[in-house]
Amino acid sequence: MTRAIVVGAGFGGLALGIRLQSAGVETVIVEARDAPGGCAAAREQDGFTFGIGPTAIADPAALRELWALSGRDMAEDVTLDPVEPFWRLSWPDGDSFDLTGDDARLVAEIARINPGDVAGYRDFLDYSAAVHAEGYEKLGQAAMLDLGAMARAAPALAKHEAWRSVHSIVAKFVKNERLREALSFQTLLIGGNPMTASAVHALIHKLERSGGLWFARGGISRMAAAMAAQFERVGGTIRLGDPAVRIDTLGDRATGVTTASGWQGEAEMVAANADVMHAYRDLLAGSRSAQRTGAGLARKRWSPSTFAVHFGIKGSWPGIPHHMVLFGPRYKGLLADIFDHGVLSRDQMIFLHHPTVTDPALAPPGHSVFAAMAPVPNLGKFPVDWAEIGPILEKRILDEVGRRLIPDIHERIVTKFTVTPADLARDLNAHLGSAFSLEPTLTQSAWFRVHNRDPHIPNLYFVGAGTHPGAGIPGVVAGAKVTAALMLEGGR
Ligand SMILES: Cc1cc2nc3c(=O)[nH]c(=O)nc-3n(C[C@H](O)[C@H](O)[C@H](O)COP(=O)(O)OP(=O)(O)OC[C@H]3O[C@@H](n4cnc5c(N)ncnc54)[C@H](O)[C@@H]3O)c2cc1C
């Protein structure tokens, strides 16, 4: 029986493990933390359940496939509840816009903001469907291992004007600046700047419209726990709380993995789900080719980080939906500060997560769970002392949520904590505390991204946010399918 070791039990590593083990490859997943799920970790505090990372799941069909491989039904392990509206967007003057999956309501919302943009929205939806078919269903399912694959994709990319940015393509279809923000901000959810990321990422709108947005009952970490249960059910082994310290190599072959506890696993194939920089620079310190790749990665653009204030409060808030974006006074300027200048601005864009409106059991009766997350620069250009700045930003963010939604927020808070870029760097070995790995620019995507198979060590594979097709749960789950296909082909 072929044996594989996967380093990391994020969504990417778990999806890969299930695919390999379901195909008969004896698979061990080695995970540094004491629970599976990577950035989708949960934290229990004072009777509240907080989710650290993702706040919703798109394309649940891709996850269901992982159960169907062994004739099981995902619903046996986890329940998904719809998130509706997908997002409520709110601007500082009190204006708001519900981005919903209900076509009639969405069109009514667009007409309320600018009746002249309804026809343009229809054209944008067609565009989004076309890039979804090309970018997600075709490109995202293919291994982009050589320039030939890129060349074959080029005509379609050219046809869809992939060199333009998401915001620029949205602007081609809709005229109202707020609607442009409403249809482009989603790029941030995969670590991209709407003003510069390739227009192909406009596919996210179609992904959400077609498959909906979902929350796992009990928190997104329950989805990861369900994946871990499915992996073990088909015969896989997970070693939790035992970080890999080395991917062992001999010449141009990976031979296994050594962990902090001294465990040494031998394998015919090794896959890294951990941060790609950590994998190349630290875990493959013994490989000269890997060190060269790591040096190259250090020169790339890394996506921003997030600063999150998680808080449990007294009271129920049925009027605040699962997801809100509280836009600040600036959009383009703020994005430039985060992505290009690398400086922490005074103004913020706040992603407000209110999971208890979907699943009240996450808080004690009569209480609610919230997370207010702001995209912030990573630790690259002008590293911030988060121990000093964190409390200041926390207050600023809570004040803003209070001003716009919950007037007596400070008196209502029962428990709270923050997660800073420095925490992401420490807890997940995330390079520069980046929340989404390599920035998904056109020149860091597809063939230009870390390959799903290393070009120099042919039995070493990669899965997760830093590899093709990219970050986000749908991205890493699709990437696991690509990597699994390569491994199953390589193992034969
Ligand atoms: C705040 C935030 C909000 C987000 N919101 C959404 C959302 O709503 N929807 C969405 O689809 N996506 C969202 N994302 C993005 C999405 O969650 C990620 O892109 C995706 O989960 C990444 O999965 P992964 O498998 O690549 O990596 P990770 O989740 O980073 O997992 C990697 C794993 O490797 C482990 N590891 C690291 N080093 C070692 C080592 N040496 N040995 C063993 N194990 C190691 C880590 O502990 C971790 O468990 C969000 C991300 C963040 C940070």
Side-chain angles (χ1 to χ4, degrees):
M1 203 178 187
T2 313
R3 186 175 152 100
I5 302 177
V6 179
V7 178
F11 271 76
L14 290 166
L16 176 63
I18 294 170
R19 285 191 174 276
L20 293 177
Q21 187 72 44
S22 300
V25 177
E26 186 190 331
T27 305
V28 179
I29 301 181
V30 175
E31 168 55 48
R33 294 165 67 96
D34 52 15
C39 65
R43 177 159 158 183
E44 309 276 338
Q45 187 168 299
D46 299 326
F48 295 80
T49 305
F50 297 95
I52 303 301
T55 53
I57 295 172
D59 194 15
L63 290 161
R64 277 191 205 102
E65 268 185 35
L66 302 170
W67 275 258
L69 290 170
S70 57
R72 308 290 296 214
D73 183 356
M74 186 171 87
E76 287 170 33
D77 289 320
V78 62
T79 303
L80 294 183
D81 293 312
V83 169
E84 181 57 44
F86 298 157
W87 298 91
R88 174 165 300 158
L89 312 175
S90 136
W91 287 271
D93 61 6
D95 201 5
S96 73
F97 174 83
D98 274 9
L99 191 57
T100 142
D102 179 306
D103 192 65
R105 277 178 52 218
L106 180 59
V107 166
E109 279 289 90
I110 293 170
R112 185 177 59 77
I113 302 258
N114 185 20
D117 275 334
V118 170
Y121 168 71
R122 289 272 175 235
D123 293 340
F124 170 69
L125 185 57
D126 288 345
Y127 174 86
S128 178
V131 282
H132 175 266
E134 203 57 54
Y136 189 69
E137 290 175 348
K138 265 201 212 155
L139 260 183
Q141 309 282 336
M144 304 297 287
L145 295 183
D146 54 48
L147 260 178
M150 202 66 199
R152 284 189 293 281
L157 293 175
K159 181 176 153 211
H160 297 302
E161 304 177 88
W163 66 86
R164 291 177 76 150
S165 73
V166 174
H167 186 272
S168 135
I169 211 81
V170 170
K172 179 177 148 180
F173 294 109
V174 300
K175 301 283 167 281
N176 182 281
E177 191 47 46
R178 288 193 169 172
L179 289 178
R180 290 172 175 175
E181 292 175 11
L183 295 171
S184 66
F185 81 91
Q186 296 83 346
T187 322
L188 288 163
L189 305 170
I190 54 162
N193 181 349
M195 309 311 298
T196 55
S198 165
V200 173
H201 297 299
L203 68 83
I204 298 173
H205 184 64
K206 174 65 180 170
L207 193 71
E208 292 185 355
R209 287 289 317 260
S210 292
L213 266 190
W214 303 86
F215 188 65
R217 202 172 293 171
I220 300 286
S221 65
R222 287 285 176 89
M223 186 72 232
M227 291 168 80
Q230 169 63 3
F231 172 64
E232 289 181 322
R233 184 185 289 134
V234 292
T237 306
I238 306 194
R239 297 181 59 85
L240 293 174
D242 193 11
V245 290
R246 194 168 63 238
I247 294 177
D248 300 300
T249 54
L250 188 63
D252 67 353
R253 304 287 299 170
T255 54
V257 169
T258 301
T259 67
S261 71
W263 179 83
Q264 268 191 314
E266 289 181 7
E268 281 91 44
M269 299 184 282
V270 175
N273 171 230
D275 175 273
V276 286
M277 186 64 168
H278 170 58
Y280 272 116
R281 187 193 50 203
D282 307 330
L283 300 181
L284 286 155
S287 157
R288 227 183 281 166
S289 71
Q291 289 310 295
R292 279 197 304 273
T293 307
L297 285 176
R299 291 191 291 273
K300 301 230 174 209
R301 287 178 67 97
W302 288 77
S303 71
S305 191
T306 53
F307 174 83
V309 189
H310 296 264
F311 52 103
I313 63 172
K314 284 185 223 145
S316 301
W317 307 90
I320 302 180
H322 186 99
H323 274 146
M324 285 188 75
V325 181
L326 308 182
F327 286 110
R330 300 181 307 149
Y331 187 62
K332 295 177 192 176
L334 176 65
L335 293 172
D337 280 352
I338 295 171
F339 283 86
D340 301 329
H341 310 140
V343 292
L344 185 63
S345 313
R346 273 201 69 80
D347 54 324
Q348 304 297 328
M349 180 192 302
I350 301 169
F351 287 74
L352 188 70
H353 183 213
H354 178 207
T356 33
V357 78
T358 310
D359 182 359
L362 295 172
H367 292 73
S368 303
V369 168
F370 282 92
M373 303 189 192
V376 295
N378 64 37
L379 301 171
K381 276 193 187 142
F382 298 104
V384 162
D385 178 351
W386 281 103
E388 191 189 324
I389 297 295
I392 299 168
L393 189 55
E394 173 193 314
K395 177 163 185 321
R396 211 181 282 163
I397 286 176
L398 288 176
D399 286 350
E400 186 63 7
V401 176
R403 194 181 69 75
R404 287 163 74 163
L405 295 166
I406 307 171
D408 47 357
I409 190 167
H410 291 286
E411 290 79 67
R412 286 181 174 272
I413 290 180
V414 175
T415 188
K416 64 180 163 84
F417 64 94
T418 59
V419 178
T420 72
D423 296 326
L424 292 180
R426 187 197 55 231
D427 295 345
L428 291 166
N429 288 321
H431 183 55
L432 303 178
S434 162
F436 309 91
S437 192
L438 291 166
E439 193 184 322
T441 59
L442 195 56
T443 52
Q444 295 193 164
S445 298
W447 178 75
F448 300 108
R449 214 165 176 81
V450 169
H451 298 329
N452 304 71
R453 183 176 66 213
D454 183 80
H456 307 285
I457 307 176
N459 66 337
L460 173 65
Y461 299 83
F462 289 85
V463 66
T467 63
H468 171 67
I473 295 171
V476 304
V477 170
K481 195 170 179 177
V482 174
T483 304
L486 288 171
M487 292 179 78
L488 294 173
E489 191 186 293
R492 268 201 287 272

